[in-house]
């Protein structure tokens, strides 16, 4: 990879690691809510996948970063506290599912933006593909949970 492209890639990987850190915090906070009942298993899986993905992204970052100019990955406590505050305002599981779904959608876009950097690194591409596949599954599950509430409302108005 040429130097400018490598520098962009390292910045994107760093941002992706921060996204996964926020994702970890979101799933953990959602698990603390009382109304999550049937979503608990999926929320637990989301939390653990975020932890695993952070480790894998960290390995990628360490492999590609320049030790002279690129800093170590650092969690931003401020952005996580804002994220937690947004989630705390939501009560119903469908609202939480919608919020998590939007977060997953943004993360999916971040992963897809990496593809132009991965043409010559099949191992990193494999990891990114696996992450994309798993996050897409979470996105679909959350989409179905969000739709449940809309369907209930529609039935109420039709009846």
């Amino acid at each position: 990879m040429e130097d400018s492209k490598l520098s962009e890639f390292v910045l994107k990987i760093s941002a992706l690691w921060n996204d996964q850190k926020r994702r970890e915090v979101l799933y953990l906070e959602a698990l603390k809510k009382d109304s999550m009942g049937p979503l608990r298993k999926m929320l637990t899986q989301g939390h653990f996948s975020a932890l695993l993905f952070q480790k894998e992204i960290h390995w990628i970052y360490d492999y590609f970063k320049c030790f002279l100019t690129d800093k170590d990955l650092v969690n931003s406590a401020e952005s996580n506290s804002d994220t937690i505050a947004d989630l705390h305002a939501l009560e119903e599981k469908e609202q939480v599912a919608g919020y998590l779904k939007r977060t997953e959608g943004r993360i999916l876009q971040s992963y897809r933006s990496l593809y132009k950097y991965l043409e010559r690194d099949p191992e990193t591409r494999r990891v990114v593909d696996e992450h994309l596949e798993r996050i897409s599954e979470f996105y679909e599950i959350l989409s179905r949970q969000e739709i449940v509430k809309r369907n209930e409302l529609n039935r109420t108005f039709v009846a």
Side-chain angles (χ1 to χ4, degrees):
M1 232 185 280
E2 63 189 55
D3 286 344
S4 64
K5 208 171 179 185
L6 182 61
S7 180
E8 287 174 29
F9 178 70
V10 168
L11 287 173
K12 286 187 175 286
I13 289 293
S14 174
L16 193 56
W17 185 86
N18 285 317
D19 287 344
Q20 287 293 351
K21 185 64 181 173
R22 274 190 295 282
R23 186 171 174 258
E24 171 202 346
V25 170
L26 277 174
Y27 276 103
L28 189 58
E29 287 302 311
L31 274 165
K32 294 177 184 178
K33 292 185 158 293
D34 291 332
S35 60
M36 295 300 105
L39 284 180
R40 288 209 182 280
K41 182 179 178 182
M42 192 275 310
L43 294 173
T44 301
Q45 291 172 349
H47 177 253
F48 284 122
S49 73
L51 291 170
L52 174 64
F53 294 173
Q54 282 176 70
K55 285 183 186 267
E56 292 177 341
I57 291 167
H58 197 280
W59 294 329
I60 293 169
Y61 181 82
D62 281 348
Y63 181 76
F64 285 102
K65 78 176 184 177
C66 173
F67 287 97
L68 297 176
T69 58
D70 294 322
K71 298 177 182 173
D72 287 333
L73 295 173
V74 180
N75 180 29
S76 172
E78 286 179 19
S79 65
N80 285 337
S81 63
D82 292 343
T83 300
I84 292 169
D86 291 343
L87 189 64
H88 276 299
L90 305 174
E91 290 300 321
E92 295 187 29
K93 72 176 190 275
E94 294 83 9
Q95 293 173 316
V96 172
Y99 188 82
L100 292 172
K101 181 190 89 167
R102 288 186 295 280
T103 300
E104 298 289 32
R106 286 190 297 276
I107 292 173
L108 285 169
Q109 289 174 341
S110 293
Y111 272 100
R112 288 182 186 120
S113 74
L114 293 176
Y115 275 116
K116 66 182 177 184
Y117 303 99
L118 301 176
E119 62 271 347
R120 291 199 179 113
D121 192 345
E123 182 59 24
T124 303
R125 187 176 185 104
R126 183 192 60 75
V127 170
V128 167
D129 285 342
E130 288 174 2
H131 289 200
L132 264 169
E133 182 179 328
R134 188 67 178 131
I135 293 171
S136 294
E137 290 170 9
F138 285 112
Y139 184 87
E140 292 302 317
I141 292 167
L142 292 164
S143 294
R144 287 191 298 269
Q145 288 299 316
E146 186 182 37
I147 290 171
V148 166
K149 186 66 173 184
R150 284 192 219 139
N151 287 342
E152 288 174 7
L153 288 172
N154 288 340
R155 279 186 247 137
T156 304
F157 289 120
V158 172

